Amino acid sequence: MKISILTLFPEMFVGPFDHSIIKRAKEKGLVEIELINIRDFATDKHQMVDDSPYGGGVGMVMKVDVVHRAILHAKSSVILERSDNAAIESHKEDPISRSRSFQDDNKKTKVVLMTASGKPFKQAVAKEFAALDHLILICGHYEGIDDRIKHFIDEEVSIGDFVLTGGELATMVITDAVTRLLPGAITDGATEDESFSLGDDHPLLEYPHYTKPQVYEGFAVPEILLSGNHPKVAMWRHEQALEKTKRVRPDLTKK
Ligand code: ADE
């Protein structure tokens, strides 16, 4: 799949995707992560990406036309990769008409705006995103983006009930959570038995894990894990997961 990140600060992304599982997923061709600088789509000579709010008030608002052009560019880059015909060439200089011409081609694409006022990002949403061909993530900044952007996006997503300075860290979190779910990114089966993997109807945190040494500073590994009795181990793990969920996230068990 392809993940396009629209940002005013592409330099913030140096590092987070260059290690461990995400790095390997990129090398294996499971995911392509593209950074698009929103400023490249400003058309005036000062390359303005924001302006003062209508109606007054503090802060600056990101301009809808600039962000919209960046979205259309992101959409059309996948279309161009998929096909090489001359019709596409003729649209190259005009992202708006180019995107309109090929909208039907674009079914498994989603445009998602990062904002503290969006719907909560959960494991179920990560799974939904991992099934797409193209995920386009937009990082908001300043006081947000002109509200008319809602006509050009599919959804708004928040990574938690707190306010970040911008959407960049949120897109890093989402890119990580989605990439590790792509088939082949991590050991087969590893994502089936972890926190939240059973979905919203059966929320369960993960059971505890142990490895050597068997005793550390007087703290021993639970006996049951040394017994070799797999059904009993499975039962114990389930009980532990239930107990931890009740203790740490009582809100999840009150359904
Ligand atoms: N931008 C600012 N705060 C955010 C949040 N909590 N989630 C996603 N994007 C944000």
Side-chain angles (χ1 to χ4, degrees):
M1 84 178 287
K2 179 167 182 175
I3 302 179
S4 300
I5 300 175
L6 277 52
T7 172
L8 287 172
F9 301 100
E11 61 280 10
M12 279 180 73
F13 293 83
V14 177
F17 303 139
D18 299 330
H19 303 277
S20 182
I21 290 164
I22 310 295
K23 180 184 177 196
R24 280 203 302 277
K26 287 198 300 183
E27 286 168 355
K28 286 186 201 166
L30 304 176
V31 67
E32 179 194 346
I33 301 172
E34 171 190 43
L35 293 170
I36 293 176
N37 191 338
I38 294 172
R39 197 171 295 279
D40 291 343
F41 298 87
T43 47
D44 68 303
K45 68 171 189 269
H46 302 295
Q47 284 203 294
M48 265 177 69
V49 292
D50 59 347
D51 212 328
S52 48
Y54 276 119
V58 289
M60 299 290 267
V61 177
M62 280 172 73
K63 289 163 69 65
V64 62
D65 57 316
V66 178
V67 179
H68 185 206
R69 277 194 293 276
I71 294 170
L72 292 171
H73 172 81
K75 282 187 169 180
S76 60
S77 66
V78 166
I79 295 160
L80 287 171
E81 277 162 24
R82 270 200 231 142
S83 172
D84 58 359
N85 71 37
I88 293 172
E89 284 301 309
S90 70
H91 286 88
K92 251 185 175 163
E93 298 311 313
D94 180 0
I96 294 185
S97 72
R98 188 190 339 157
S99 177
R100 277 203 196 108
S101 317
F102 298 99
Q103 257 165 12
D104 286 345
D105 235 4
N106 243 355
K107 287 227 172 75
K108 284 177 83 187
T109 293
K110 223 166 212 188
V111 182
V112 180
L113 174 64
M114 302 298 114
T115 164
S117 59
K119 82 170 187 191
F121 182 68
K122 297 193 174 187
Q123 191 65 14
V125 181
K127 281 187 188 164
E128 197 191 299
F129 288 175
L132 297 169
D133 293 323
H134 192 193
L135 177 61
I136 300 173
L137 302 173
I138 308 167
C139 307
H141 254 276
Y142 311 114
E143 291 306 306
I145 303 179
D146 183 318
D147 202 54
R148 290 168 289 181
I149 198 67
K150 67 184 175 209
H151 301 297
F152 310 109
I153 61 170
D154 296 304
E155 51 192 89
E156 300 183 10
V157 165
S158 162
I159 63 158
D161 293 344
F162 42 79
V163 183
L164 300 166
T165 53
E168 281 71 15
L169 290 170
T171 62
M172 290 175 203
V173 168
I174 290 176
T175 300
D176 187 285
V178 169
T179 301
R180 66 187 289 287
L181 291 177
L182 298 175
I186 51 180
T187 321
D188 278 352
T191 59
E192 288 158 20
D193 194 18
E194 59 185 3
S195 298
F196 308 114
S197 57
L198 299 178
D200 279 355
D201 293 335
H202 308 280
L204 207 55
L205 301 183
E206 204 173 347
Y207 55 78
H209 303 272
Y210 298 88
T211 187
K212 294 183 183 75
Q214 200 174 316
V215 180
Y216 182 68
E217 301 257 342
F219 298 104
V221 171
E223 278 298 318
I224 184 89
L225 298 179
L226 313 173
S227 69
N229 185 333
H230 297 297
K232 274 198 167 163
V233 167
M235 213 147 67
W236 178 86
R237 285 178 167 163
H238 186 66
E239 284 162 11
Q240 291 289 314
L242 275 176
E243 187 280 322
K244 181 158 192 194
T245 309
K246 278 191 198 139
R247 181 165 42 86
V248 179
R249 293 291 305 272
D251 56 307
L252 293 179
T253 53
K254 276 187 199 134
K255 285 213 162 183

